[in-house]
Amino acid sequence: MKIYLQGGPARRPRVSSPASPSSSAAAMADARECRGWLSALRRDLSNRRRRADDDGTPFTDELLVVIFARVPDLADLVRCAATCRRWRRLVSGEAALICCTPRRPPGRFIGQLALGFFHLQLEGLLFMPTAFASRRFPGLLQQPPPSLNKLFDDGLFDGFSHIVASRNGLLVINLESGNHDRALKLCVCNPMAGVVHVLPHLGGMDGLGHYVCTVLTADDRDDKIINPPRSTSYFRLVMLYTRCGFTAFRSYSSEEGSWSEEAKLTNPRLGRKQMGLTNDGLTHNGVVGCGGRLVYWLSNKVVFVLCLETLQLSVVSMPRSGNGQSFDMGNTLLGLSPNSMLCAIQLGRMSLRPANRRVPIRVITCTDRSWWDTEELIQVGQSLPEDVGHVMLRWFCEKSGAVFFSTFCGSYPLRSEMYVLNLKTRVVDKLASEDRISNPWACVHGYEMDQTAYLASLAEPEGVEDM
């Protein structure tokens, strides 16, 4: 995967559709490129007059980049970029090289990583930006809203394509064509870089039943990993799916360019109900912890945990809701806290009566398979309209601390609104409002930048903000 930081159109290579491989065949992904959101930002900056950026230090650019690559904390790198024009140019322009070195988790939410959310409509996979994203990437604030269908205009996402996972700047998309083809066709897309990898199809004897998946990236590694990925564009797609009598595992690595052999998981078998299917027919997003060693999925009142090193599967029971109520799967999101602990975001017990109005969002954390309340209830009712009647949690962006939730307001026809809560500042922003009978936010996937894209976006002073 290559990030294009210079202006001008990227030439899309001439490729052929991959054949359905056998379970042991190595087949490279079909890689396609276009002008991503970062390229549009850099083209805009290239039109501005360049100013002198001498910082008075005797170090060469090459030496400074080596020093920046050794900085162990992302927040310190952002502060370096804010020091002067030269350092900002080096940090943003050499972001991919700097991010090759693993660094420790930031220990705090980085709100600027959250750019917005994708939602599935008849027009395609549309994107709704946050206020920060609209300021930093003016091209995202347009009518009609930007979509993946227009970003990659070769018809790749036509048909019934839908997102099944979103993590660290990457989207995993199921390329359903609607022609009753049983083959599973997945792609991994980076809209910031303008790159999409169409993976070899899984069909025939490789046909899958119900599945859950997620994607690991170079950002998931920590400074304790001995052999880190060779590139910041590395990704690994991991998948669990049902087989007759057992639960199977496969993965695709961008470094190897092929699917792994099917493996049988030990311990509990997961069926259709345990694959995390929600009422809307979507799978819960996978959460990656412990430096990319563990993957968590929220299922039917439990969390199942996959150890990628041993391919062992275990189950953690979910806690009761507030006041001992049964757990509300439809209003629960899974993620990691800034200190890398597994946590759940849940809508607490609501009260919409004027005299006792409460709309709380509850945060609970887990360690050693024991849950406890953090006693942190964030009241968001004061930020909602008085005629709100229903609230639904949609997505938790764990690196930025952004929680997307929707509301139904008023009477027939209902007004549906979309909000984002910043867990760090506890500020609620309204993103969109739709007057329609149907639910426009049924298929929502939040989107965050990865570290490389975030540093590359710091090219101008207005992009450097307090973390």
Side-chain angles (χ1 to χ4, degrees):
M1 194 182 297
K2 184 177 181 181
I3 294 182
Y4 284 84
L5 298 181
Q6 302 297 326
R11 297 182 61 186
R12 185 177 294 117
R14 195 179 292 269
V15 293
S16 57
S17 300
S20 299
S22 66
S23 60
S24 61
M28 295 296 292
D30 168 2
R32 310 182 187 191
E33 300 170 349
C34 74
R35 292 178 294 185
W37 295 340
L38 266 181
S39 297
L41 173 67
R42 302 299 290 203
R43 285 199 306 275
D44 180 64
L45 296 178
S46 66
N47 294 328
R48 303 181 186 181
R49 184 177 180 181
R50 183 173 178 178
R51 298 170 292 182
D53 59 0
D54 184 13
D55 60 356
T57 62
F59 303 129
T60 64
D61 287 359
E62 292 76 10
L63 181 57
L64 282 174
V65 170
V66 172
I67 294 174
F68 293 151
R70 295 285 185 174
V71 176
D73 190 276
L74 182 63
D76 291 336
L77 274 173
V78 176
R79 295 186 185 99
C80 289
T83 301
C84 63
R85 288 192 294 270
R86 182 190 180 197
W87 288 21
R88 182 168 59 250
R89 171 176 58 82
L90 291 176
V91 170
S92 62
E94 301 295 337
L97 179 60
I98 292 172
C99 289
C100 285
T101 303
R103 46 189 39 89
R104 60 174 176 256
R108 66 180 75 181
F109 290 124
I110 306 175
Q112 291 82 4
L113 292 178
L115 291 185
F117 64 91
F118 286 92
H119 59 115
L120 182 61
Q121 296 295 319
L122 294 177
E123 301 90 337
L125 294 166
L126 304 183
F127 185 72
M128 181 65 63
T130 62
F132 168 79
S134 299
R135 294 193 305 269
R136 191 69 196 117
F137 305 96
L140 297 180
L141 193 62
Q142 56 181 268
Q143 291 296 331
S147 69
L148 287 182
N149 306 65
K150 292 182 178 179
L151 186 63
F152 299 93
D153 58 0
D154 56 358
L156 178 65
F157 299 123
D158 292 346
F160 297 89
S161 298
H162 57 277
I163 301 172
V164 295
S166 173
R167 290 195 70 251
N168 292 349
L170 296 182
L171 305 171
V172 181
I173 302 175
N174 187 333
L175 302 174
E176 287 189 10
S177 59
N179 58 3
H180 305 292
D181 187 356
R182 295 188 61 186
L184 180 63
K185 304 172 184 178
L186 298 177
C187 76
V188 177
C189 172
N190 186 334
M192 294 297 296
V195 178
V196 60
H197 294 265
V198 181
L199 306 189
H201 302 167
L202 294 175
M205 294 299 295
D206 298 317
L208 311 180
H210 297 282
Y211 72 93
V212 292
C213 69
T214 196
V215 62
L216 287 74
T217 72
D219 285 359
D220 290 312
R221 60 192 178 161
D222 56 30
D223 52 10
K224 300 183 181 67
I225 293 181
I226 299 176
N227 297 314
R230 293 188 293 267
S231 170
T232 57
S233 61
Y234 160 85
F235 69 87
R236 183 186 182 195
L237 176 64
V238 297
M239 174 187 301
L240 303 184
Y241 53 96
T242 57
R243 284 294 199 198
C244 183
F246 66 94
T247 303
F249 169 86
R250 293 190 78 164
S251 68
Y252 179 93
S253 169
S254 62
E255 290 187 340
E256 298 174 359
S258 64
W259 286 100
S260 68
E261 297 281 353
E262 181 180 272
K264 181 178 179 180
L265 297 182
T266 59
N267 296 334
R269 174 180 176 269
L270 300 175
R272 175 180 178 179
K273 292 183 179 181
Q274 287 74 36
M275 283 299 179
L277 297 179
T278 67
N279 294 331
D280 294 321
L282 301 175
T283 56
H284 283 282
N285 199 46
V287 178
V288 179
C290 296
R293 301 176 185 89
L294 298 178
V295 183
Y296 309 90
W297 282 278
L298 179 61
S299 182
N300 186 18
K301 299 182 180 180
V302 298
V303 175
F304 51 94
V305 186
L306 172 65
C307 177
L308 293 177
E309 295 175 332
T310 63
L311 293 187
Q312 288 187 330
L313 202 61
S314 58
V315 174
V316 179
S317 298
M318 292 296 293
R320 289 280 182 175
S321 299
N323 300 324
Q325 301 297 315
S326 60
F327 203 81
D328 184 2
M329 277 289 300
N331 257 319
T332 301
L333 306 171
L334 204 63
L336 293 181
S337 65
N339 57 358
S340 301
M341 296 174 63
L342 185 65
C343 69
I345 310 298
Q346 184 186 28
L347 188 68
R349 301 192 68 184
M350 295 173 47
S351 174
L352 300 179
R353 291 176 295 181
N356 189 23
R357 180 182 171 89
R358 296 190 311 274
V359 184
I361 291 181
R362 180 170 175 256
V363 181
I364 49 180
T365 54
C366 174
T367 184
D368 297 329
R369 301 187 182 184
S370 298
W371 291 85
W372 72 92
D373 292 338
T374 63
E375 299 182 356
E376 182 178 10
L377 290 177
I378 303 174
Q379 298 293 338
V380 299
Q382 68 276 11
S383 301
L384 305 181
E386 294 183 356
D387 58 350
V388 62
H390 181 74
V391 180
M392 189 69 161
L393 298 184
R394 295 296 178 181
W395 198 266
F396 175 34
C397 293
E398 61 194 57
K399 300 294 180 64
S400 60
V403 178
F404 294 98
F405 64 94
S406 63
T407 64
F408 279 123
C409 307
S411 57
Y412 183 88
L414 293 175
R415 184 177 76 258
S416 182
E417 299 179 341
M418 195 73 179
Y419 295 84
V420 59
L421 164 67
N422 186 319
L423 289 183
K424 178 183 176 182
T425 64
R426 302 196 175 190
V427 172
V428 176
D429 290 323
K430 181 179 175 181
L431 299 180
S433 180
E434 293 282 349
D435 294 325
R436 59 176 67 181
I437 299 176
S438 62
N439 181 10
W441 320 119
C443 304
V444 167
H445 284 75
Y447 182 73
E448 295 179 300
M449 286 186 284
D450 62 345
Q451 291 186 21
T452 301
Y454 178 45
L455 293 180
S457 71
L458 301 178
E460 286 292 285
E462 61 267 26
V464 181
E465 299 185 11
D466 182 24
M467 295 180 64

